[in-house]
Amino acid sequence: MDALKKFFPFSFGAKDVAALIIKIVLYLVVGIIIGVVLGLVGKIPVVGIITGIVGAIVELYILCGIVLTVLDYLKILK
C-alpha cells in the first residue's frame, strides 16, 4: 500500500463525494492537457512513435489513479 501511495499520492484521502469528484475531474483535466501537448508534439515524424508510447503510459497512469481514488473512497483498499 505504501508503494501505491508513493506513485499515486493524489489518489488517497477523499472523504466525501465532492472531494472524490474533484479528484476525478482533476485527473481527467491533466490527462486532456497532456494529451493535447503530446498530440501537437507527435506531429513531428521521428518523435511521433515516442509520444505515442508516452501517451499510452500517461493514459494508463490516469486510469489507475482514478480507479485507486474510487477504491479508496469505497474503503476497499486498506
Side-chain angles (χ1 to χ4, degrees):
M1 187 60 143
D2 291 332
L4 285 177
K5 287 185 180 181
K6 258 191 214 177
F7 290 113
F8 300 95
F10 190 69
S11 295
F12 298 95
K15 303 287 184 206
D16 55 352
V17 176
L20 175 69
I21 292 172
I22 289 171
K23 287 183 181 222
I24 290 173
V25 168
L26 193 59
Y27 266 120
L28 292 175
V29 168
V30 168
I32 290 170
I33 292 171
I34 291 175
V36 168
V37 170
L38 288 176
L40 293 174
V41 173
K43 293 186 187 239
I44 302 170
V46 177
V47 185
I49 296 170
I50 297 170
T51 57
I53 294 170
V54 171
I57 292 171
V58 168
E59 288 177 10
L60 183 64
Y61 178 83
I62 290 172
L63 177 67
C64 290
I66 291 172
V67 169
L68 286 174
T69 302
V70 171
L71 290 177
D72 182 56
Y73 175 75
L74 295 174
K75 304 293 184 217
I76 294 175
L77 297 176
K78 304 237 177 205

